[in-house]
Amino acid sequence: MKVNLDPQPKFMINAFLVMFIIHTSQTGVGIAGLPRIVFMEAGRDAWISVLLTGLSISLVLFIMVAILKSYESADLYGIHRDVYGKWLSVFFNCVYVVYLLCVTFIIMMNYIEMVQAWIFPKIQPWLVMGLLLILLAYGVSGGFRVVAGICFLGFIFAFWLVFMIYTPVKFMSFNHLLPVMTASPDELMKGIYKSSFSMVGFELLFVYYPYIKEKKKVLKFALIGSGYTTILFTVLTVVSIGFFSQETLMKTIWPILSMFKILRIPNLERFEFIAVSFWMLIILPNICTYFWSAIRGMKRTFNVSHKKSIIIFCLAIWLISIFLENRVLINTITDRIATGSFVLAFIYPFILFALVKIRMRLTKRRSRS
């Protein structure tokens, strides 16, 4: 396996698309329940935890780009090959591929739960999973340029949902947000940890970096994308805290969707039905980027074609969805994956940065001697 990649220009994208990929990779099902999850840890200062999470992501992006700039055009799998060697890199690559597939599966299962709770209570999970997998397989089979296009269109088509928050804003009470800074540092840190899983996705830059043309502009557009996500998530958290009472917010599983209940549109009694349906446009870019990164890992590590990886992974996910219907077990798995995502997305880049710098210094010393 080569450390550096040299994709043909026809397979590469312009750097400005990175901000759309970063944002859509971060925005998925988790945003619907984020305010409640963070509020349970940090109380009325939950929005501060979300804001601090976004600032932490900016710091991690600086480190990630610094690692990537140490190579000509390498992805995470190639960097593992250079740092860990031929055999140990296979283990780390496999861990990362499994992580990407697990996140894809959890996103889809949580969306299916949303569909069951709001629209079709009796629909079978395997049926919705099968339909989502068809869309997923079709999207990633076109390559990374198609995935980037899905991210861009997903952002454009779902952007109008942001303006639907205007009505809840008119009914919110700012007294629910006061006094500020009552949460302890420990509670704020727990809020950051809880919000981290809802805001991951930026770490995929490690995988698609070689497919970006103007690499000098990557950091700027990555920060814009993550910055927009941070502002959006912070505003939604503030509105949710102001709109619901403390007791109600603690009991509301999906606060963002619940706020849509007050919207009244002519000839449309239940607007949340439209919101849940359009939410598929939000999670589709999300799962496409994760899934493409996983099949790319199989190609880089084991030289398995994308077509074979797509078929094998889609069948595996679909079969697991048939036998895994216990909601408590799914929540337990989600918590475990959330812990893994925190380690791989927020902590591992700093460890890898140190290892890369040590590797570079050892290489220079050997070349001098």
Side-chain angles (χ1 to χ4, degrees):
M1 179 176 65
K2 295 181 179 179
V3 174
N4 292 293
L5 293 172
D6 188 21
Q8 297 181 22
K10 64 179 181 180
F11 297 130
M12 302 177 74
I13 63 170
N14 293 320
F16 82 94
L17 288 173
V18 171
M19 61 183 177
F20 298 104
I21 300 173
I22 290 284
H23 170 67
T24 53
S25 298
Q26 290 182 282
T27 310
V29 179
I31 187 177
L34 175 67
R36 169 183 171 266
I37 294 173
V38 186
F39 185 83
M40 292 176 67
E41 300 294 341
R44 59 176 63 92
D45 290 331
W47 64 273
I48 299 178
S49 292
V50 176
L51 185 61
L52 291 175
T53 304
L55 294 176
S56 301
I57 290 172
S58 298
L59 177 60
V60 177
L61 284 172
F62 273 106
I63 297 298
M64 290 173 58
V65 173
I67 295 171
L68 293 167
K69 284 184 176 180
S70 300
Y71 298 86
E72 293 180 7
S73 182
D75 59 1
L76 180 64
Y77 305 112
I79 295 172
H80 282 170
R81 176 68 174 82
D82 183 57
V83 172
Y84 298 118
K86 181 178 180 181
W87 300 110
L88 194 57
S89 64
V90 173
F91 169 76
F92 281 93
N93 287 348
C94 288
V95 169
Y96 205 78
V97 169
V98 171
Y99 156 71
L100 296 172
L101 291 175
C102 287
V103 174
T104 304
F105 175 77
I106 289 301
I107 293 171
M108 297 171 79
M109 288 300 294
N110 284 317
Y111 177 70
I112 291 171
E113 182 189 8
M114 186 185 295
V115 172
Q116 288 178 314
W118 290 87
I119 305 180
F120 303 114
K122 296 183 180 180
I123 196 169
Q124 295 297 321
W126 60 265
L127 178 59
V128 184
M129 179 64 77
L131 296 175
L132 288 174
L133 286 172
I134 291 173
L135 285 174
L136 178 61
Y138 182 73
V140 299
S141 62
F144 180 65
R145 283 177 63 90
V146 175
V147 173
I150 292 172
C151 293
F152 177 76
L153 292 177
F155 173 83
I156 297 298
F157 290 152
F159 184 71
W160 65 274
L161 286 171
V162 176
F163 297 99
M164 296 300 103
I165 206 70
Y166 170 73
T167 302
V169 168
K170 294 190 297 183
F171 294 96
M172 65 179 291
S173 172
F174 285 97
N175 291 329
H176 293 171
L177 297 164
L178 300 174
V180 183
M181 293 299 294
T182 57
S184 65
D186 182 60
E187 289 172 335
L188 288 175
M189 290 302 297
K190 289 181 179 179
I192 292 173
Y193 173 74
K194 287 294 184 180
S195 60
S196 62
F197 187 52
S198 298
M199 299 180 71
V200 293
F202 61 91
E203 74 277 12
L204 300 182
L205 178 64
F206 264 142
V207 182
Y208 56 78
Y209 179 80
Y211 293 88
I212 302 169
K213 292 180 181 178
E214 305 114 320
K215 290 181 171 54
K216 293 182 179 179
K217 301 179 181 179
V218 168
L219 180 60
K220 177 180 72 174
F221 289 112
L223 291 174
I224 292 174
S226 66
Y228 173 70
T229 302
T230 301
I231 294 172
L232 176 63
F233 280 38
T234 304
V235 170
L236 290 175
T237 304
V238 169
V239 174
S240 298
I241 296 172
F243 182 81
F244 295 101
S245 65
Q246 180 176 344
E247 295 77 13
T248 304
L249 184 57
M250 295 280 282
K251 297 177 181 179
T252 306
I253 299 177
W254 292 294
I256 305 302
L257 290 178
S258 297
M259 286 192 295
F260 286 149
K261 285 184 175 181
I262 68 172
L263 295 177
R264 291 294 180 265
I265 297 177
N267 302 321
L268 184 61
E269 184 177 353
R270 301 291 298 274
F271 177 78
E272 63 268 24
F273 285 5
I274 301 298
V276 172
S277 301
F278 263 88
W279 218 273
M280 186 184 68
L281 294 177
I282 296 176
I283 71 158
L284 185 59
N286 203 228
I287 59 179
C288 279
T289 49
Y290 272 100
F291 196 73
W292 179 86
S293 299
I295 64 174
R296 187 61 191 163
M298 293 297 291
K299 175 66 175 179
R300 293 278 282 146
T301 308
F302 302 106
N303 199 28
V304 179
S305 67
H306 286 187
K307 183 177 180 180
K308 290 182 180 179
S309 296
I310 291 171
I311 294 173
I312 294 171
F313 289 158
C314 284
L315 284 175
I317 291 174
W318 186 70
L319 289 173
I320 293 173
S321 69
I322 295 176
F323 298 103
L324 189 62
E325 295 184 0
N326 189 321
R327 191 63 238 174
V328 177
L329 180 58
I330 293 176
N331 288 337
T332 302
I333 295 173
T334 302
D335 292 338
R336 298 293 182 270
I337 295 173
T339 302
S341 70
F342 181 80
V343 173
L344 290 176
F346 287 86
I347 299 177
Y348 182 62
F350 292 93
I351 298 174
L352 189 60
F353 177 77
L355 293 175
V356 168
K357 292 303 178 183
I358 293 172
R359 170 69 175 171
M360 294 295 180
R361 289 183 180 180
L362 291 176
T363 304
K364 287 182 179 180
R365 288 181 182 178
R366 290 174 184 174
S367 61
R368 289 174 183 175
S369 60

